[in-house]
Each structure stands twice: as C-alpha cells, then as structure tokens.
Amino acid sequence: MTEHFKMDAPATEHRLDDMAQGLVGAPLDRPDGPSKVTGTATYANEWQIEGMVHGVMVRSPGNSGKVSLANRDAVAAMPGVLAVIQDDRLLRNPAQGTADAAPIQGARHADYTGQLIALVVAENFEQARHAAQSLTVVLENGETVTVDPDTAAVEPQEGQAVDQGDLGGAMRDAAHSVDVVYSTPSHSSSPMEPHASIATWDGDDLTLRGSYQMLKYNRNELADALGIHPDRVRIISPFVGGGFGSKLGLSPEAVAAAIAAQELGRPVSVALTRPQVYEATMRRSETRQRVRLSADGDGRLTGLGHDARVSNLPGETFAEPVLQASHFLYAGSNRQMSLDLVRLHRMCAGSVRAPGEAVGVTVLENAMDELAHEIGIDPVALRLRNIPETDPESGKDFSSSRFREALESGAEAFGWADRPGLKERREGEWLIGYGMASAARVNMLMESQARVTLLPDGTARVETDMTDIGTGTYAILGQIAGDMLGLPRDAVTVVLGDTGLPPSAGSGGSWGAASSGTSVYVACEAIRRQLAERLDVAEPDLMLKDGRATYANQTQALSDILNGDEIAKLGHVTPGDTSKAVRQATFGAYFAEVAVHAATGETRVRRMHGSFAAGRILNAKTARSQCLGGMTFGIGIALTEEMAFDPRDGHVTNHNLAEYHIPVNADVPQLTVELLEERDDWANPLQAKGIGELGICGAAAAITNAIFNATGVRVRDYPATLDKVIAGM
Ligand code: MOS
C-alpha cells in the first residue's frame, strides 16, 4: 500500500515532460477559485456549530512581571460571561512550528507588551469583547527589561559563522571595495485572514477548525500544549487566508479555544483581532547588516563579508537566517560572515515571508550596486562576472542554476540597456531611475505523504493534510495526478487540510509544492504499475489519456479496466542524499523603474520585471502569481513596511493595516514575470524547485537601487520613505 521514495539520487527520467494529458506546467485556474471569490469557501472563523460560544483574548499591558487579573470575579459575573481563563498552557510553543521546546512564555508571566495572557468566553462575541475589555490586568514585580536592540545582550550564533581566507587583507589590497551598514525594520506577516480557531470536544477527542500552514506539526503542538496524545487531535483547515509564516505554528487562540471548550463542554470560537495579530503572532526580526565587498580592477570579487545582527525574546531559538544566500550567491575566495542574536522584550521573532533572504539578499544587492557604482561598471555586468562555478564555500556543485540567463533575459525584457545615467532623467517634477537586483533562495525537500485513489468510475481522488495558503496546492496536485493517471483536470478531486488525511510537509519554506507534489507522483507511479500489471504490459508502455489506457495497439477505458475495483496507493517521500550532495537553490533577477518626486522625495514604482528559474514550473499561472506577490512585498519592504515599536516598552504602535502599510493596488504598477525553463534532477522527480518565496528575495533592492540612479541618494535604513530620500537630495 505504501510506496516509499527516498531522494538519494538524481531523478533523470523527466516523465512529466512526456505525459500525454499535458496538464503540468499549463496555466490552469485554481479549482478552489470560484468558491473563494463567491464567498462560499469556509474559512476558520466561519463554521457555524451548534451551541458555539465566543472567546476574546486579553493582552498584557507591559513587558515584565507576574500577571494577575485584579477584577476577575467581577468580570466573570458580567452578562453572558461563561469563563475567564488564565492558564500557563496558553502560549506553549508559540508560533514557530515545533513541539519540542519547553514553554518559554506562559500566561502567568509577561515577557512583552501585547502578549496574550487570558481568554474571556461569553455566550456571544459582543459580551466576550466587553468583558475582555473590562478585565484589569496587573503586572507585579516586573524587572526593567531591554526593548532596544542596540543595548541588548548579544549571543553570537557560532554555527552561522564563516571565516575563509583573509577578508581584511583582501579589503586592504582591493582595487575597489565597499564597506557599508544597512538596517531593515521588523516586518509583520499580515495575512488577510486573522488567526482563528474553533474547538470542539467529543469525549476525549478534540477537533480544531483553524487557519494553519503545517497541520502535522500543528496537531503535535496542540496535543503537546494540552498534554494529550496527538491521536486525540484533529485539525481541519481547508482554506487559509494567507499565512506568510505567521501560521507555521500554533498561535495562542488555538490552545485557548481548546482549553475553554473542554472546561465549558461547548464549542468555543476565538479569533484574534487585527491588532492582536500584529502584537502577538510573529514578527520578522529587525536587522543591522554590514557588508564588505572587495574586487579587483575588473570587478571580480576577491572577498565577501556579511555580518548581521538580529533579535528575539530571551529563550527563543529562532534567529533570522540573514546570511542564508550570501553563502553561495557570489564568488570571492576571502569570506567572513557572522550572525549575532540579541535578546530583547519585543514580541516573538520568527519566520516571515522568506526568512533570511528577504532582507539578507536585499542588503547584499544594495552593496553590489554600491560596488558597481564605485567601479564604474554596469550592475548586471558585475553580477555576471561573479556567478560562482560551484558553491564558493563548500565547493559543491549547484543542482541547477539559470542565474546567468535570468540576469541576461531579465535585462533584455526590461530594456535595461536604456538605463539613464546617474540623476540623468527627469520628467517634469519626477526624477526617473532604473535599478536591478539578483534573487536567490535555498531549495528544500521535506517528508510528505499523500494517498491517491483511482476510483471505479475512472476518476481519481488525492488526499493529504497539505494546506493551500493561497499558493495553488489544489491546482498543482490535481495537475500532477491528472498527468500521471491520464485524467482531465476535472476528473481529479483534491482533498486537503485535514489531519485525518496522510501527513504532508505543510506549506512553509517554499517546499510545499515539490514535497507534497512528489508524494502524489510516487503514489500515481504505483497505481500505473498496478494498472500495467493488470493489463500485462510494461508500465512505461502504458499511455494514459482522457481516462483511457492505450497499450499494445488497443485502447480501453480505465473504468473498464478497473471493473468495479479501486486502486489506492499511499505515496511517501523523504529527503535523502541529494539534499546534501549538491547546493540546491533558485535564482532570478529583478528590474525596476521608479519615479522620485523632486520636491517631496516620494517614490512611485512605475514598472518592475522579474525573471526567475525554479526548476519545472508546475502551473504557469499560480507560479507567476507567487512571483507577483513576492515582488509586491518587495515594494513593501522598499518603501512602506515597518513595524514601529515604542522605545519605552517595546509595544507595537502601528498594529493595523492602515498604519503598517502593505502595498495596495495604487502602489503596485504592472509587474511582469518571466519563468525560465529549467529541470532540477537533484531536487525531486518532478524536477521542480520551490518558487513561493523567490519573488521577494532581493526585490526591494531593485527599487532602492533605482532611487539611487534617479537621485544619487542611498537610503541605507529601510524603508526608503520620502523623509529619508528628501534628506539626501
Ligand atoms: Mo514561510 S515564512 O516558511 O511560511
């Protein structure tokens, strides 16, 4: 029944190039699209369950001290109120998607302002909200804690450090060099759908309807928090209104809803408010980054240094992996890198939209632009000159790379050759500039399972606990199964988002499509073998298309071959030697044209282009959409996105979509995306690499580099808001 496949050797067969149905790669619509746009897709907070009551979370007013609820009894007696819950399990294992850590933040001690420390449950939402707002939270015996990264205690992350050759010497002897410090602020994931959970108990069995990215892990986290066996927990999450990292792990409302539902014996629904999403789920760490680049007279890098400082709460293990792509993006034999984690009492830091590269590649790409200007060569030429033959630190081969083609083809598509000189182009009051940057992101394969059933009527069903967080999972898994089994797209039903189904890799780190897709592929190959056995032909000689099998000069409907039976196979992929034998990464290039207002410093992105290579593209439409989304968030990083923390207590002062400005339609011009043909045999049998996050990994630098081209101003402190631009003009 179970087909296990371990990715130990390159997959050179490229079967998906030859399947007769021809679905994989096509720009097919999402099957879940109509239900989403007509409002009939049921999101986490929309389930209507008999007897359901409502909870509202309560925040800590300060960042240190023992929490007590001063008027708890009075609040518990308010109209409709059913429970006031303060429980140490509330915040166990917050939000990063691991169930192996001891609780760091409990509900009885405050570690940051905005931390969720209690739940008030009432018959209806309005009563719960009123009671929650009436609760007086008191902090006692608080210590004075640091909320400022500049004064916080430093913990060097030794495992991230690189020291190769002699960077100091290379800088000293360089024909050209740059040594620059940039900073990036904290970012919020800001999914459109706030975190929400509805918990229902049936005896000892808990069902949670929630909005999460990685259900296999989330189920373990919830069981772990409650002290029950994971078998007792079912999580249902068929539609997720965006995650961007903030739903990789549980957020506090899930545990709170489960505890309350158990205590009350009724279903409990808890949704975070928008400010709570901003204050208490996850932030990307702010970073300070120093980049040193040394080059010879021809612009060949002789050295590359990247030192970064990030932050998190005391005890939290996550450190924004800023250097992740700096290890392999460019050549240069003298290399020095370090990552420092400072401990402070801002909200928890974790994965947000391409952790590491989104800000790390961005700053490296600014420094490369500074070097190109210093040398006086074209920024594209500088990159082309420094593409490494092999991984510059490990010496391993790249599994595949079309970095060079992305730079060349992107420059061509954008019209880079027409780039104006520094401060050269003006249209009325607007200064026009062009900028570019490279894109890079690591590629990963993760363990994943899926069951595929070929049904007696000749249709198929794909089942896995994989999620679709807006990425297109429903579309691509159906395309893979359809191609492998020779079925039109609408003859394949894809069922996702339920821990009752085979456990998948989940949606994270851009690995979802390749990992869950491979499990579907492996299951389908096993079904093909069984069909071939029935027909007494060799499996490769079986041509499947439109629900019919053609073999040995005859054609027969699958339903006839099945003769009332069904064939069900469980595909199970685990990563193997190919994850270590080579360097696996995706690459690309961004090009942007901006207009900067000469009087105000306001920047408008006029157009932006991205060329990307990420192995086989499984669906040209959903892949393009991922890149558009990444580039849009790149505009956000460049110009508007910044979490603001009060320097006195570290609380988030812009905790809503109005003041934490994600680019909206008016900020985003026509974006163009080119997806280059590529096959990566080392990645998986689909030859596909992850594309979800590639579009953001460096994108902001194309815009700030364009601002420099337009104005001569380098803003080294993101975002490049108009006050910073005008100050330099
Ligand atoms: Mo992603 S930030 O790993 O959801």
Side-chain angles (χ1 to χ4, degrees):
M1 274 295 290
T2 303
E3 297 298 319
H4 181 226
F5 174 80
K6 189 157 178 278
M7 192 64 201
D8 273 334
T12 54
E13 272 197 295
H14 297 208
R15 299 196 72 174
L16 289 174
D17 282 325
D18 303 322
M19 288 296 161
Q21 200 70 38
L23 298 177
V24 168
L28 301 186
D29 291 342
R30 300 156 186 271
D32 47 314
S35 68
K36 286 179 173 171
V37 297
T38 56
T40 54
T42 306
Y43 284 87
N45 195 234
E46 297 178 331
W47 299 87
Q48 296 301 324
I49 296 171
E50 177 85 23
M52 184 168 76
V53 294
H54 300 268
V56 170
M57 303 292 297
V58 178
R59 67 195 285 280
S60 166
N63 57 29
S64 179
K66 185 174 166 296
V67 178
S68 62
L69 309 177
N71 58 346
R72 180 188 188 126
D73 292 345
V75 168
M78 286 175 71
V81 173
L82 300 168
V84 177
I85 293 171
Q86 189 193 10
D87 190 303
D88 246 348
R89 297 172 294 177
L90 279 193
L91 284 192
R92 180 148 188 171
N93 306 322
Q96 193 52 47
T98 49
D100 58 355
I104 293 163
Q105 308 139 37
R108 297 187 191 280
H109 192 277
D111 289 294
Y112 63 92
T113 308
Q115 182 180 330
L116 300 176
I117 44 81
L119 176 73
V120 177
V121 187
E123 289 287 349
N124 65 46
F125 171 72
E126 288 75 12
Q127 291 167 330
R129 183 175 57 182
H130 182 46
Q133 286 171 347
S134 304
L135 197 62
T136 303
V137 181
V138 178
L139 302 181
E140 295 163 308
N141 302 323
E143 294 159 23
T144 303
V145 295
T146 293
V147 298
D148 171 13
D150 288 332
T151 58
V154 179
E155 286 174 21
Q157 305 292 293
E158 307 291 355
Q160 305 285 318
V162 173
D163 197 350
Q164 237 176 250
D166 173 16
L167 181 64
M171 289 291 287
R172 215 168 35 243
D173 301 339
H176 307 281
S177 66
V178 297
D179 182 348
V180 287
V181 176
Y182 278 73
S183 59
T184 64
S186 267
H187 297 136
S188 168
S189 319
S190 298
M192 209 185 298
E193 180 199 24
H195 301 58
S197 293
I198 298 174
T200 312
W201 288 86
D202 179 8
D204 291 335
D205 292 322
L206 169 63
T207 299
L208 190 90
R209 290 172 171 83
S211 181
Y212 288 103
Q213 294 178 223
M214 305 208 297
L215 302 192
K216 170 174 72 175
Y217 300 93
N218 306 136
R219 175 199 210 182
N220 288 339
E221 287 154 10
L222 187 53
D224 188 48
L226 298 170
I228 60 177
H229 195 278
D231 287 353
R232 302 259 73 86
V233 178
R234 178 181 176 197
I235 299 184
I236 299 173
S237 196
F239 299 108
V240 180
F244 308 114
S246 73
K247 296 171 182 172
L248 287 169
L250 283 185
S251 55
E253 96 290 339
V255 186
I259 292 170
Q262 190 167 38
E263 196 172 304
L264 296 171
R266 294 173 72 173
V268 174
S269 169
V270 184
L272 298 188
T273 64
R274 183 65 65 185
Q276 287 172 345
V277 172
Y278 275 94
E279 286 196 314
T281 57
M282 193 65 76
R283 67 181 170 98
R284 185 204 302 283
S285 173
E286 74 293 321
T287 73
R288 190 188 63 197
Q289 304 181 47
R290 178 187 186 197
V291 177
R292 285 172 288 172
L293 300 171
S294 62
D296 66 15
D298 296 330
R300 271 172 237 286
L301 287 171
T302 55
L304 195 161
H306 198 165
D307 301 287
R309 185 195 69 192
V310 301
S311 72
N312 211 339
L313 280 163
E316 288 286 346
T317 53
F318 182 83
E320 177 85 16
V322 174
L323 314 174
Q324 203 151 253
S326 301
H327 294 305
F328 61 83
L329 186 54
Y330 296 119
S333 53
N334 301 291
R335 310 174 77 84
Q336 199 174 307
M337 298 184 202
S338 68
L339 183 67
D340 283 345
L341 177 62
V342 297
R343 296 300 188 180
L344 48 73
H345 289 254
R346 292 179 177 177
M347 60 187 282
C348 190
S351 291
V352 175
R353 310 183 209 135
E357 286 94 328
V359 287
V361 176
T362 291
V363 169
L364 178 58
E365 288 303 295
N366 278 280
M368 285 292 279
D369 200 69
E370 298 212 29
L371 182 65
H373 180 69
E374 181 73 31
I375 301 172
I377 68 170
D378 184 275
V380 175
L382 177 66
R383 270 97 177 161
L384 290 171
R385 214 159 283 183
N386 287 289
I387 295 175
E389 288 292 310
T390 57
D391 182 299
E393 289 174 14
S394 67
K396 288 175 185 174
D397 287 332
F398 288 97
S399 59
S400 61
S401 168
R402 300 205 70 199
F403 187 17
R404 178 175 301 280
E405 292 81 353
L407 287 161
E408 289 171 343
S409 177
E412 175 73 30
F414 179 79
W416 182 250
D418 300 332
R419 180 166 110 111
L422 187 66
K423 297 165 70 171
E424 199 179 78
R425 191 173 296 177
R426 184 172 179 139
E427 294 177 9
E429 296 189 327
W430 294 92
L431 310 175
I432 312 303
Y434 286 15
M436 60 80 53
S438 302
R441 172 75 177 161
V442 293
N443 183 64
M444 291 168 275
L445 178 70
M446 300 288 274
E447 179 174 11
S448 207
Q449 297 187 37
R451 181 169 47 240
V452 180
T453 307
L454 185 58
L455 297 159
D457 65 359
T459 65
R461 189 172 62 228
V462 175
E463 296 165 297
T464 167
D465 83 353
M466 181 62 191
T467 47
D468 187 329
I469 61 172
T471 41
T473 314
Y474 283 106
I476 58 122
L477 295 187
Q479 286 172 277
I480 293 167
D483 264 8
M484 291 299 289
L485 301 177
L487 299 174
R489 178 59 191 85
D490 59 8
V492 182
T493 306
V494 178
V495 188
L496 303 178
D498 185 338
T499 56
L501 304 174
S504 74
S507 300
S510 299
W511 60 61
S515 304
S516 66
T518 297
S519 68
V520 169
Y521 176 94
V522 167
C524 290
E525 272 202 320
I527 292 173
R528 292 179 62 96
R529 281 196 297 274
Q530 190 153 328
L531 281 173
E533 207 170 288
R534 275 191 178 217
L535 301 170
D536 201 21
V537 292
E539 187 272 323
D541 297 335
L542 191 59
M543 204 269 280
L544 302 179
K545 187 169 189 285
D546 291 332
R548 289 187 294 276
T550 301
Y551 58 100
N553 292 328
Q554 53 181 311
T555 293
Q556 203 179 349
L558 287 176
S559 53
D560 292 341
I561 298 167
L562 289 163
N563 194 21
D565 296 339
E566 64 173 38
I567 304 177
K569 297 289 181 187
L570 186 72
H572 181 185
V573 58
T574 49
D577 295 343
T578 62
S579 293
K580 299 178 205 93
V582 285
R583 162 64 75 181
Q584 297 189 22
T586 50
F587 297 95
Y590 312 95
F591 297 83
E593 176 182 328
V594 303
V596 182
H597 196 274
T600 67
E602 175 190 357
T603 300
R604 309 297 310 182
V605 179
R606 283 187 156 188
R607 62 193 180 99
M608 194 168 175
H609 172 81
S611 288
F612 304 103
R616 184 192 302 279
I617 298 303
L618 299 170
N619 178 316
K621 182 179 285 186
T622 57
R624 175 175 171 273
S625 290
Q626 291 293 98
C627 296
L628 293 177
M631 288 159 66
T632 299
F633 283 131
I635 296 173
I637 293 178
L639 300 179
T640 62
E641 285 188 60
E642 173 175 29
M643 292 188 83
F645 299 93
D646 189 309
R648 293 165 303 178
D649 66 355
H651 84 272
V652 181
T653 61
N654 57 344
H655 57 196
N656 54 67
L657 285 165
E659 290 171 273
Y660 181 90
H661 188 78
I662 301 264
V664 296
N665 281 338
D667 302 307
V668 184
Q670 283 297 315
L671 307 178
T672 53
V673 170
E674 174 190 31
L675 300 168
L676 298 170
E677 278 288 317
E678 185 179 50
R679 301 286 181 265
D680 193 317
D681 296 354
W682 294 85
N684 51 65
L686 314 177
Q687 289 88 34
K689 293 186 284 191
I691 200 165
E693 294 162 311
L694 180 59
I696 193 175
C697 297
I703 296 161
T704 46
N705 291 339
I707 292 173
F708 174 75
N709 179 240
T711 65
V713 178
R714 290 275 181 209
V715 178
R716 298 194 180 91
D717 174 29
Y718 275 94
T721 45
L722 68 180
D723 53 314
K724 297 175 192 169
V725 176
I726 199 75
M729 279 166 67

